[in-house]
Amino acid sequence: METDSYPKRLVLIGGGFGNIQLIKRLKNYSSFQITLIDKHNYHTFQPLLYQVASGGLGSDAVAYPYRKIFRNYKNFNFRLAEVQEIDTEKNMLLTNIGPVEYDELVIGTGSETNFYGMENMAKWAMELKSIPQALDLRSNILQEFEEAINTVNMGERKAYLNFVVVGAGPTGVETAGALAEFKKHVLPFDYPELDHNLMQVHLVEAGSRLMPAMSEIASAKTKEFLEELGVKVWLNTAVKDFDGKAITFGDGTALETRTVLWSAGVKGSLISGIKEDAILRKSRYLVDETNKVKGYDNIYAIGDVAAMVTDKTPNGHPGVAQVAIQQGDRLGKNMIARMLGRKQNPFQYNDLGSMATIGRNRAVVDLPFIKFQGRIAWLAWMFIHLMTLVSFRNRVIVFVNWMWNYFTYERSIRLIIRPFTTKTKD
Ligand SMILES: Cc1cc2nc3c(=O)[nH]c(=O)nc-3n(C[C@H](O)[C@H](O)[C@H](O)COP(=O)(O)OP(=O)(O)OC[C@H]3O[C@@H](n4cnc5c(N)ncnc54)[C@H](O)[C@@H]3O)c2cc1C
């Protein structure tokens, strides 16, 4: 039940873009005693994970510890824990470190990979949602090169050097582009005993165009850029199965490969305890225009895990960082307004546009008032991503790495660090 007495115990699950912005908005308001719970002790800048996976950046460039971000906040606590259940009757979370009580709760758990029930794919394909997964993918790619050298069987060697990316949204496109640049600028020099022409990067998309959320011109340019880099683009191609050795397509044909990156679907990271009628298609929490979860007075959801269904957004907002940031910001302003007895305002998404990079000097940008591609788009992409990183340290590291990579054509962080025998589940 909502209490209008202050201070409130405000518990936030997940330190993604949404909750980070909410905490910033509530900085030092003693009326809100904030506890952030996350299963990692750092915030992850997901848009640059593909650069970690392809050896262009180290993991510390895209992550930053929560305790450091909020060290000067007087109303902030952090708990490293995984939330397993929400007991909405008792206003309590069940976590792996014990129960945590709340007066108000904000769920900002983001999203996870959706394999649409394809069990083999879930077992064998790689994912790219977290730093452990990005490091695992990097190690996997490098290990395949080493395996390819060790086999004299040409069929097997080709299979090790076939890299398949499924799903042509930003993650798929950017990873495919990065792999193609790896083939061009690293493979011939680091692995002279391998014929680098044997390495093939395949980007497979069930729909009729790449980057379906962007404009037609951005899709067409993305395809052109990828093909210039040597990526084999498969449109209108459904994937049926992957058994760890070969990927099978809807028409029954198969391609031998050891590495498939599945970036073809996501669903909200739900936590049990919320009533079913407050969940849209088993995937996201239904929220009203103040991000309050349907049927609850003191539970909010923001970002990827929230679906604000309106006439304008029948499927909710897109799962992008700007939505999460703006929802966190609006929720923070509304919480302060409510505390002061002022009017709360509904959330309104200000779409700033979208962009993706395909490789050096190749990017596509769709802004509300202009669309452009190529080198200028690439510079704009770099600038925006640098500015959005959470700390000054991250910005410096990323900038220095990018300069180094630009002038040397290198992807220097080619380390196989893999304490796991199988792919990482996070
Ligand atoms: C590879 C990749 C590339 C992307 N590129 C772009 C891009 O170019 N532009 C763009 O706008 N968007 C991009 N996105 C999407 C963007 O990152 C998300 O929309 C955004 O991160 C959503 O923010 P959020 O606050 O909802 O949650 P997230 O940032 O996903 O954070 C969720 C947090 O919740 C924590 N968590 C989850 N479950 C639990 C639990 N049970 N207990 C405790 N903690 C939990 C996680 O550890 C995580 O820290 C990309 C995403 C990925 C994966």
Side-chain angles (χ1 to χ4, degrees):
M1 202 183 72
E2 186 173 359
T3 64
D4 265 338
S5 60
Y6 290 89
K8 278 185 197 301
R9 288 168 304 176
L10 178 61
V11 175
L12 317 182
I13 315 175
F17 286 101
N19 274 335
I20 292 269
Q21 185 61 29
L22 172 61
I23 299 167
K24 286 184 178 167
R25 188 46 76 188
L26 298 178
K27 180 179 183 182
N28 294 347
Y29 276 93
S30 56
S31 298
F32 301 98
Q33 292 304 313
I34 300 170
T35 300
L36 171 67
I37 304 179
D38 200 295
K39 58 187 174 180
H40 299 119
N41 76 332
Y42 51 82
H43 167 72
T44 305
F45 190 81
Q46 292 176 352
L48 290 181
L49 277 179
Y50 82 95
Q51 295 212 357
V52 176
S54 53
L57 291 173
S59 54
D60 65 333
V62 302
Y64 208 64
Y66 295 118
R67 290 184 183 277
K68 182 81 198 291
I69 302 173
F70 299 116
R71 64 154 53 156
N72 295 322
Y73 286 52
K74 296 191 177 73
N75 60 340
F76 174 80
N77 287 296
F78 174 71
R79 290 292 173 270
L80 180 65
E82 180 154 8
V83 179
Q84 290 148 341
E85 200 177 324
I86 305 169
D87 185 335
T88 58
E89 294 290 312
K90 293 186 183 152
N91 287 343
M92 183 190 280
L93 302 178
L94 305 181
T95 80
N96 61 340
I97 57 163
V100 177
E101 291 183 358
Y102 61 83
D103 297 320
E104 294 201 346
L105 178 67
V106 183
I107 309 171
T109 43
S111 55
E112 58 195 41
T113 308
N114 191 350
F115 289 100
Y116 304 104
M118 298 169 79
E119 281 175 25
N120 266 348
M121 194 60 78
K123 182 170 175 199
W124 293 107
M126 315 280 308
E127 299 171 50
L128 191 55
K129 294 291 293 175
S130 67
I131 286 179
Q133 288 169 350
L135 292 175
D136 205 35
L137 179 56
R138 181 183 80 196
S139 298
N140 182 87
I141 294 164
L142 297 166
Q143 271 176 322
E144 302 302 14
F145 296 140
E146 302 296 338
E147 296 279 359
I149 288 173
N150 287 338
T151 177
V152 286
N153 179 319
M154 279 311 274
E156 262 185 38
R157 183 173 281 193
K158 278 186 185 166
Y160 282 123
L161 296 176
N162 270 336
F163 295 90
V164 180
V165 178
V166 184
T171 304
V173 161
E174 293 180 342
T175 309
L179 281 169
E181 290 202 323
F182 202 99
K183 170 183 175 177
K184 205 166 153 197
H185 300 304
V186 178
L187 204 63
F189 307 103
D190 271 25
Y191 299 85
E193 58 270 67
L194 275 182
D195 173 2
H196 71 276
N197 291 313
L198 291 181
M199 177 179 171
Q200 298 292 339
V201 183
H202 303 264
L203 177 63
V204 182
E205 164 61 40
S208 58
R209 64 184 179 103
L210 307 178
M211 301 291 295
M214 291 186 74
S215 62
E216 298 265 356
I217 172 98
S219 295
K221 269 289 178 188
T222 300
K223 184 163 179 286
E224 185 186 313
F225 287 151
L226 282 169
E227 287 176 341
E228 275 170 16
L229 287 169
V231 174
K232 299 205 165 175
V233 177
W234 305 47
L235 292 175
N236 302 307
T237 306
V239 168
K240 211 164 86 186
D241 199 12
F242 174 51
D243 63 3
K245 297 210 162 155
I247 184 165
T248 317
F249 303 108
D251 63 2
T253 55
L255 176 74
E256 282 196 43
T257 177
R258 302 291 188 271
T259 307
V260 170
L261 168 66
W262 181 260
S263 61
V266 291
K267 58 181 178 187
S269 295
L270 302 179
I271 299 175
S272 66
I274 298 289
K275 284 180 278 187
E276 263 182 37
D277 71 345
I279 300 174
L280 179 71
R281 289 184 219 113
K282 297 187 179 172
S283 176
R284 297 162 99 188
Y285 297 119
L286 281 165
V287 295
D288 69 12
E289 287 176 279
T290 62
N291 281 92
K292 197 176 273 190
V293 176
K294 183 181 168 192
Y296 298 92
D297 274 338
N298 61 344
I299 302 180
Y300 298 83
I302 58 176
D304 282 8
V305 80
M308 190 180 288
V309 175
T310 64
D311 290 345
K312 266 193 189 165
T313 56
N315 296 311
H317 292 89
V320 295
Q322 268 306 319
V323 171
I325 293 169
Q326 291 179 30
Q327 288 187 341
D329 200 56
R330 171 47 50 207
L331 181 57
K333 285 179 179 160
N334 279 343
M335 284 182 167
I336 294 167
R338 184 153 50 91
M339 182 209 23
L340 297 173
R342 295 189 187 144
K343 182 173 158 281
Q344 299 182 56
N345 288 314
F347 172 71
Q348 271 176 351
Y349 179 44
N350 178 16
D351 186 354
L352 301 176
S354 39
M355 48 178 62
T357 182
I358 294 94
R360 165 187 291 253
N361 293 327
R362 295 177 174 94
V364 290
V365 174
D366 282 358
L367 298 181
F369 48 92
I370 188 172
K371 300 176 185 17
F372 53 104
Q373 305 85 30
R375 189 185 169 84
I376 302 291
W378 184 64
L379 292 171
W381 179 92
M382 286 201 291
F383 178 74
I384 297 286
H385 281 73
L386 265 185
M387 288 302 109
T388 328
L389 279 159
V390 76
S391 78
F392 182 68
R393 180 179 183 275
N394 289 131
R395 279 179 222 143
V396 172
I397 298 177
V398 171
F399 182 73
V400 170
N401 270 276
W402 281 353
M403 285 300 111
W404 177 262
N405 296 349
Y406 186 77
F407 289 112
T408 62
Y409 287 79
E410 278 282 0
R411 287 180 178 268
S412 328
I413 309 161
R414 298 194 288 276
L415 309 177
I416 299 174
I417 301 174
R418 207 176 195 189
F420 315 101
T421 48
T422 56
K423 66 176 180 143
T424 306
K425 282 287 173 191
D426 185 40

